[in-house]
Amino acid sequence: MRILIIEDDLEAAGAMAHGLKEAGYEVLHAPDGEAGLSEAQKGGFDVLVVDRMMPKMDGVTVVETLRREGDQTPVLFLSALGEVNDRVVGLRAGADDYLVKPYAFPELMARVEALSRRRETGAVATTLKVGELEMNLINRTVHRQGREIDLQPREFQLLEFMMRHAGQSVTRTMLLEKVWEYHFDPQTNVIDVHISRLRSKIDKGFDRPMLQTVRGAGYRLDP
Amino acid sequence: MRLPRLLRTTPFRLTLLFLALFAAAASAFLGYIYVATAGEVNRRAQAEISREFESLETAYRQGGVDALNQAIVERATGERPFLYFLADKSGKRISGSIEESPVANFTGDGPTWASFKVTETDMDGAEVKAAAKGVQQRLEHGEILFVGADVDASEAYVRKIVRALWGAGALVILLGLAGGVLISRNVSRSMQGLVDVVNAVRAGDLHARAKIRGARDEYDELAEGLNDMLDRIERLMGGLRHAGDAIAHDLRSPLTRLRARMEVALIDAENGKGDPLAALETALADADGVLKTFNAVLAIARLQAAGAAPDQKSFDASELASDMAELYELSCEDKGLDFKAEIVPALTIKGNREFLAQALANILDNAIKYTPEGGAIMLRARRTSSGELEFSVTDTGPGVPEADRARVVQRFVRLENSRSEPGAGLGLSLVQAVAASHGGRLELAEGPGEYNGMGPGLRVALVLPRVE
C-alpha cells in the first residue's frame, strides 16, 4: 500500500509518515501543492492525504486537478480546526473523506485504512461474509453459524458498515458519519452503547467474540 | 480657532460655491430690474424732452425765428416743466427761461445731450440744486435751440432703485454667508461627534458611542450604524477575550495533569517500573479532552463571528429529531432512564443540519448526564401556535435554579453540583450559539416538578423562527 502525504507542515507530515510506516504502509511526502500534484500524477498511490492550506497550490486545487484528469485515487482531505465550511468545500472538490486538524492518529489511520481498501470491494455484492457472520443485503437477514440474528434497522446498518470494513479499526466518529450520517462531536459515547447492543446480539452465546474494542481508536470486526 | 477650521469644512466650501452661483443669478436678475426700471425712467425723460424740442422745431419751420421765440416765451411762462434757451447764429441769447445754455463748447450742428444742475426755489423758499437734462441743436437757419427738463424726481427714483438693488445684493451675500456658516457649523458639529467616536475607538476606547440626537436624520442613522457596529465588535472582542481567559483557565489543569502524568511515566520507565503504556494512554485521553474543548470553543466563536450559520438548507426537522431520539434512546436505557419522544411529522426547517444536530445532541447529553437513575427524559419536536419550531428536552433531574439559568448558558460555567461530571461546560453555550446563528433562542425552564422522589427537572427548548 502506497500513501502520498501532501502537507507543508513538516513535523505533522513526519509524525504521520512515521505512524503509517509502522502500520506497514509505504509513504511518500510532498511538501507543497505543486510537488504533491506532480507526484500524484505519476500514479501508483492507494490513498492521497491532502492538506487544505499549502504554499504554491492549495489542496482544493490539487484534488480538483486530479479529478479533472480522471484520477480516482481516494483522497483524505485535511484542514485546520474550526473551519466550519471546509468539509463541504473539500468534498465538493472531489475528496472522499475529510478530517479536521488536530486529529487523533488512530482516527487518521482508520480513515486511511478504510479508503485504501475501498477499491477492493468495488463490485456490488448481495451478501457479505466475515468469518462465521453472513449478511444478506437483499432480504436483510444476518446469520452466524447458521443461526439467525434479529437486528433493528440501525443495528443492521451498523453491522453492514463493520462487515464492509472487517479487520480494520473503525472510529466512533466514522460510525456517526457513515452510519447515522451526522458530522458532529457527541460529548458522551453514544456510539458505544449502540455497539455494545450490537455486540450482545452477534457475540452473545458464541464461543468467540468478533466485535473487538480497539483501545484509543474504536472498534474492529474480526473474522 | 473656530473660523479657520470652519473654512476648511466641506459644507462651508459647498456653501461658498452655491453662494457664488446664487450671486451670479441674483446679479443677472437685479441687472434686468435696473435696465427695466432706471433705464426706462431715463429714456422716458429724454423722449419727453425730444418731443418738446420737435414741437418747437415745427413752430420754427412754420413761422421762423419769430414764431419760435413767441412759442418759447409762451411756454416758459406756462406750467410746462421744461427749460428753454434760444440763441442766434453767433450764440447770442435771444430768449429762454435760462440765461445761458448748459451745453458748453457747442461746436457741431447735431443734437447734443447734457446733464446739468438747475437752481430752484422749493416750497419753503430755500434754494436747491436739482438735476436736469437737456438737448441742444442748431436749427435750419443757424439759430441754436436748447430744451431741457428738471429730471431730479426721476433721477432720485433711479438712485433709490440702484440703492435698493445694491442692498438686495449685499443682503443676498450676507444671508448666504450666514446661512452657510450656520449649516456648516451644524453639519460640522454632527460630524464632529462621529469623528470623536472614531478617534476614541482608534485610541483604544471601545466603549465610546456616538450620541443619537433624535433628529432621525442621516447623521442619526450613521451614528446608529456606527454604534451597532461598535456594539458587535465589542461583543465579539469581549467574547474572544472571555474565551481566551476561559480556555487558559480550563485547559491549564488538564494540560498540567497531562504533563505530570508524562513526567511520572518517564521516571517510572527509567526505573523500570510502572506501566508506561497505560500512562501514555491516559495522557492521550487527556489530550483528546483538551482538543474537544478547543473544538467546542472554536465552533462557538466561529458561529458568533459569522452571525449566521453557514450552509443553511431546507430539511426535515422531524427526521433530525427522530435520528437524535434513536441515537440517544439506548444511552437512556443504559442508565435506567425512561425515554420518550413526541415528534410531529414533516416539520420543515431551514438551517445547518450538522449544527442543529450537535445542539440537540448537547441538550440530550446534558439531560442524560444530570438525570439520576429511575428518572425520565422526553424529547419533543413541534410547531408552536406562533409558527416557531420548537425542539424541547425535559428531564426529571435536579433542574437549574431560576437564578442560575442565564448563567449556565455562558461558556465554561458549571454549577457547583455538576463539577464532578465530565465536560467543559460548553454544551449549552454551543446550543445558544447555534440558536442565535439561526435567528432562534435557547429557553430554560423548570421541568415537570416532583418525579419519583426527584425533581423539579429541567426543560431546555431550542426555538427556531418560522420559515416563510
Side-chain angles (χ1 to χ4, degrees), chain B residues 317-385:
Chain B
S318 310
E319 203 180 295
L320 172 72
S322 306
D323 283 347
M324 290 303 124
E326 190 255 347
L327 189 60
Y328 279 88
E329 186 173 9
L330 289 189
S331 300
C332 288
E333 277 177 29
D334 223 41
K335 207 190 162 184
L337 303 172
D338 185 24
F339 180 83
K340 274 205 195 77
E342 278 181 13
I343 296 160
V344 174
L347 297 169
T348 329
I349 191 181
K350 189 169 186 287
N352 182 304
R353 182 171 168 272
E354 304 305 332
F355 276 124
L356 288 170
Q358 172 88 67
L360 271 187
N362 283 9
I363 298 174
L364 285 164
D365 265 331
N366 270 347
I368 294 172
K369 214 181 326 186
Y370 296 118
T371 307
E373 200 182 326
I377 288 174
M378 162 79 97
L379 167 68
R380 276 198 193 91
R382 64 184 186 110
R383 204 170 281 288
T384 64
S385 51

Side-chain angles (χ1 to χ4, degrees), chain B residues 183-198:
Chain B
I183 292 172
S184 317
R185 284 183 59 163
N186 194 9
V187 170
S188 295
R189 207 174 301 132
S190 307
M191 287 303 286
Q192 195 56 44
L194 301 179
V195 171
D196 287 347
V197 171
V198 170

